Amino acid sequence: MARTKEFDETEILDKAIDLFWFKGYNGASMQDVVDSLGLSRSSIYDTFGDKHKLYISALEQYRKQSAGALINMAKQSSHPLQTIEQLFEMLTNESVNTVCHKGCFMTNSTIELAPHDPEIQKIVKDNMQDIEEAFYLLVKKGQDLGEINQQSDAKALARFLFNTISGLRVAAKSGADKAVYQDIIGVTLAVLR
């Protein structure tokens, strides 16, 4: 008779996100996985498969949480330019006010694994499309309301915003200070106005 799982898979995946976000895929040993998740190897293998499959599941959960939140913000926003400013402010605070400069889990995965792992590459690409679409909604809404300049194509501006966020996430890994973020964000917002 099969045993009932005595843990919440979502909570376990959140722990896996934290581990892989901090150590990366290659930096996390299977013993690190066991220790961080608080599960036996057999429970991990039975539930998630191997370390790679666990990583995929963790990255997918992260994508749903982060891209999903951005998409909801974009859909609900009645002041798109203000929403974009708030997103950049949140990113700055999150990056500057942390002792551990871990950047963004998705960006880290893009750099570490996407070039040679097709499954990771697909998740990264899908995430990029989700975020671009959220920014497109904000930019288009902002253009319609007259908050964002109409001289540039909304899709091009959405891609520019995605690229800016990605660059800031990489800068976070090096421990960039607040002045760096403020300069980049200032120029980015000037392009939108």
Side-chain angles (χ1 to χ4, degrees), residues 5-17 19-20 25 30 33-34 36-62 64 119:
K5 291 180 186 170
E6 298 178 9
F7 55 86
D8 180 331
E9 283 188 38
T10 301
E11 288 178 21
I12 295 300
L13 286 175
D14 284 340
K15 289 179 181 181
I17 289 169
L19 169 67
F20 290 128
Y25 177 78
M30 196 56 200
V33 172
V34 169
S36 294
L37 273 51
L39 298 175
S40 68
R41 284 178 194 259
S42 61
S43 290
I44 294 168
Y45 289 126
D46 289 345
T47 305
F48 301 104
D50 59 18
K51 180 176 128 179
H52 185 261
K53 288 179 183 160
L54 173 64
Y55 190 92
I56 296 283
S57 296
L59 191 60
E60 283 284 13
Q61 179 159 306
Y62 178 82
K64 286 175 190 163
E119 287 180 272

Side-chain angles (χ1 to χ4, degrees), residues 48-127:
F48 301 104
D50 59 18
K51 180 176 128 179
H52 185 261
K53 288 179 183 160
L54 173 64
Y55 190 92
I56 296 283
S57 296
L59 191 60
E60 283 284 13
Q61 179 159 306
Y62 178 82
R63 175 178 166 237
K64 286 175 190 163
Q65 291 169 347
S66 60
L70 180 58
I71 290 165
N72 286 338
M73 284 179 75
K75 287 179 178 176
Q76 295 173 8
S77 176
S78 53
H79 300 285
L81 186 58
Q82 183 181 359
T83 300
I84 292 169
E85 289 176 7
Q86 289 170 342
L87 286 167
F88 279 116
E89 186 178 317
M90 286 173 14
L91 171 67
T92 300
N93 291 334
E94 179 184 296
S95 299
V96 172
N97 298 327
T98 182
V99 177
C100 169
H101 303 290
K102 59 185 186 178
C104 166
F105 184 38
M106 189 65 67
T107 301
N108 297 350
S109 298
T110 302
I111 295 165
E112 181 184 12
L113 299 171
H116 52 270
D117 186 321
E119 287 180 272
I120 301 292
Q121 189 177 69
K122 181 179 180 344
I123 295 168
V124 165
K125 191 173 185 176
D126 290 346
N127 184 71

Side-chain angles (χ1 to χ4, degrees), residues 132-178:
E132 276 185 12
E133 183 61 26
F135 278 131
Y136 174 77
L137 289 172
L138 286 168
V139 170
K140 190 72 180 122
K141 237 190 257 189
Q143 287 177 329
D144 292 345
L145 293 170
E147 293 180 359
I148 294 176
N149 85 62
Q150 297 176 356
Q151 312 300 15
S152 299
D153 177 70
K155 190 58 126 176
L157 285 174
R159 289 180 173 148
F160 170 70
L161 290 170
F162 173 80
N163 192 56
T164 302
I165 292 271
S166 297
L168 288 171
R169 293 294 199 178
V170 172
K173 293 284 288 179
S174 67
D177 64 23
K178 195 168 187 169

